Amino acid sequence: MSMRKPSSRAAVPVIEIIKVGAAWEVHWDYQEAPESSILFKRREYLSGYIDGTMDDIGIHPDHVCCASGLTGSVKRLTHDQAIRLRDALDRLLIPIVTNEFNRLKNMGDLPHLRLVTPDQE
């Protein structure tokens, strides 16, 4: 069994805005890492928040290919909608993963918790 080298930074989701013709797209995807498990654990909350945000921005449901706290692809947006969605995703997803990374790192720094493996929790 190989041990994953501890990272000094959280593997935060990648959030991109892409210009396609006259329209814009926003794509996001989580990164495989222990701290990303929080996105799975909180998926219902995150999906509801993202749905509400897209509704608030005025994004038509037909433009949403998929949208969850883990991954998403939203197409045929105005530039303003794309910027607002990206900013909302940044404010939502980045702190959740970063906080979980810090929590896991801090737990790893406690000698009496080092021997606990995920399947023992």
Side-chain angles (χ1 to χ4, degrees):
M1 175 171 93
S2 68
M3 295 287 290
R4 191 177 97 105
K5 183 177 181 278
S7 177
S8 59
R9 292 182 340 170
V12 296
V14 174
I15 305 167
E16 300 178 295
I17 294 181
I18 302 166
K19 186 168 180 15
V20 178
W24 295 83
E25 298 181 356
V26 177
H27 300 272
W28 64 98
D29 196 4
Y30 78 101
Q31 301 302 295
E32 189 67 45
E35 59 269 23
S36 294
S37 67
I38 194 70
L39 299 173
F40 290 90
K41 290 176 189 164
R42 302 202 54 201
R43 71 177 158 262
E44 285 184 35
Y45 165 79
L46 295 172
S47 289
Y49 185 97
I50 292 167
D51 287 348
T53 298
M54 289 191 299
D55 189 49
D56 186 52
I57 293 171
I59 297 171
H60 195 280
D62 287 350
H63 299 182
V64 180
C65 299
C66 67
S68 74
L70 301 167
T71 62
S73 181
V74 183
K75 300 180 177 187
R76 300 189 329 251
L77 301 174
T78 66
H79 185 252
D80 180 63
Q81 287 174 322
I83 296 292
R84 290 175 65 196
L85 179 56
R86 184 215 43 214
D87 291 351
L89 292 167
D90 274 349
R91 287 190 307 271
L92 175 67
L93 301 176
I94 306 300
I96 287 174
V97 173
T98 301
N99 290 342
E100 181 67 0
F101 172 80
N102 290 332
R103 186 185 76 79
L104 292 171
K105 186 173 152 192
N106 290 338
M107 283 179 57
D109 289 342
L110 300 173
H112 64 284
L113 292 177
R114 278 196 193 127
L115 299 176
V116 176
T117 60
D119 52 7
Q120 291 176 316
E121 290 179 334

